[in-house]
Amino acid sequence: MRSATSSASRRHGDGAPLDVRAADYERFLAIQLASAAKRPALYAVTAFAAELARIHAVVSEPLLGHIRLAWWREGLEEIAAGASPRKQPVMEALGQMHTTHPRVLPELQKIVAAHAMDFDEAALADDAARRSEEHTS
């Protein structure tokens, strides 16, 4: 669990969340080429992508991945419905981005769904491996 003073809430002098710089340095550099007005939205989307990728790296079971993805999916749905974003730095950045770029949120929801399919495929592969082991024993 992240603390309230997590690296996502601290910023460099250029306004980039530390997670963006650390998680995807090449994208961080590319964002520097965008206009200053567009950078916050680009940082939010990049940090969001890093958060979703992190789920795959830290969970050991597909169900746990689905639970974490559900948190993000529900948070995006709440923002789309006009609610305040959840108290998490990336979710708050996505909420701010939604006010100026409302068409992006449905695309982010599709990305969450794609990550969920990855966990479905992992679960199917685990089941197939288990069945194979049962038949060979």
Side-chain angles (χ1 to χ4, degrees), residues 11 40-45 47-48 71-72 74-105 108:
R11 299 195 177 272
L42 293 170
Y43 287 135
V45 171
F48 174 71
W71 187 89
W72 286 99
E74 292 165 3
L76 293 174
E77 290 169 356
E78 291 165 5
I79 292 170
S84 295
R86 295 176 177 194
K87 299 294 181 202
Q88 195 272 354
V90 175
M91 194 66 80
E92 290 171 337
L94 292 172
Q96 292 172 354
M97 179 207 64
H98 181 63
T99 61
T100 56
H101 301 87
R103 293 185 302 216
V104 174
L105 214 56
L108 298 181

Side-chain angles (χ1 to χ4, degrees), residues 1 5-6 11 19 32 34 36 46 51 59 61 67 72 76 80 83 87 89 91 93 104-105 109 116 135:
M1 203 54 113
T5 58
S6 74
R11 299 195 177 272
D19 280 46
Q32 301 311 300
T46 303
E51 289 286 339
V59 299
E61 295 290 328
I67 291 168
W72 286 99
L76 293 174
K87 299 294 181 202
M91 194 66 80
V104 174
L105 214 56
Q109 291 168 327
H135 291 295

Side-chain angles (χ1 to χ4, degrees), residues 17-39:
L18 289 173
D19 280 46
V20 171
R21 179 177 251 165
D24 195 335
Y25 190 67
E26 290 82 12
R27 284 197 180 123
F28 166 78
L29 292 175
I31 292 170
Q32 301 311 300
L33 300 173
S35 69
K38 293 183 180 179
R39 287 182 198 158

